């Protein structure tokens, strides 16, 4: 795991306030829901649903922030604030970058939750 993937202070604070078992459950839920939210983001982009696009991006941003996953949080924030781009290819590239960042962050979170 690369330390910069997750802000370990944020993760430690979450663990201290919520407890190890609950944090492990939260990580598992995030790992399960993130692909669903990514699918919603992609579907909203494909259908031109600006509200659905922003909602999915917002959820991904907020969930990432909860765990201290800075890169996916930042990428999702850009998508949320920008909304649908005039050029769908631009959004597709940003969505792909978010998906890659989420995969790395979720792997790191699972490792931290085990540790």
């Amino acid at each position: 795991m690369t330390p910069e993937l997750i802000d370990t202070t944020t993760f430690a604070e979450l663990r201290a306030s919520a407890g190890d078992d609950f944090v492990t459950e939260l990580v598992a839920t995030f790992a399960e829901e993130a692909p669903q939210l990514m699918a919603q983001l992609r579907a909203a982009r494909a259908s031109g649903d600006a509200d659905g696009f922003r909602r999915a991006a917002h959820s991904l941003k907020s969930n990432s922030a909860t765990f201290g996953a800075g890169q996916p949080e930042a990428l999702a924030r850009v998508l949320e604030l920008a909304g649908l781009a005039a050029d769908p290819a631009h959004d597709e590239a940003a969505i792909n970058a978010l998906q890659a960042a989420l995969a790395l962050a979720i792997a790191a979170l699972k490792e931290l939750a085990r540790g």
Side-chain angles (χ1 to χ4, degrees):
M1 178 190 76
T2 359
E4 65 272 7
L5 290 175
I6 305 298
D7 177 350
T8 53
T9 300
T10 300
F11 191 83
E13 288 171 357
L14 178 63
R15 180 177 266 161
S17 67
D20 289 340
D21 291 340
F22 189 59
V23 169
T24 299
E25 287 179 39
L26 286 175
V27 168
T29 300
F30 181 50
E32 183 179 309
E33 291 179 355
Q36 295 168 7
L37 287 166
M38 287 301 302
Q40 291 173 16
L41 191 66
R42 287 183 189 285
R45 169 66 263 185
S47 68
D49 177 5
D51 288 336
F53 188 81
R54 284 191 190 100
R55 277 193 307 273
H58 174 80
S59 293
L60 288 161
K61 176 196 75 174
S62 298
N63 292 345
S64 296
T66 297
F67 294 107
Q71 186 178 16
E73 176 190 358
L75 292 168
R77 176 181 292 116
V78 169
L79 288 168
E80 176 189 17
L81 295 177
L84 294 176
D87 176 13
H90 176 271
D91 285 342
E92 190 62 32
I95 291 168
N96 289 340
L98 174 56
Q99 187 164 1
L102 279 168
L104 292 173
I106 288 169
L109 286 167
K110 286 178 178 179
E111 187 176 321
L112 281 170
R114 280 193 297 270

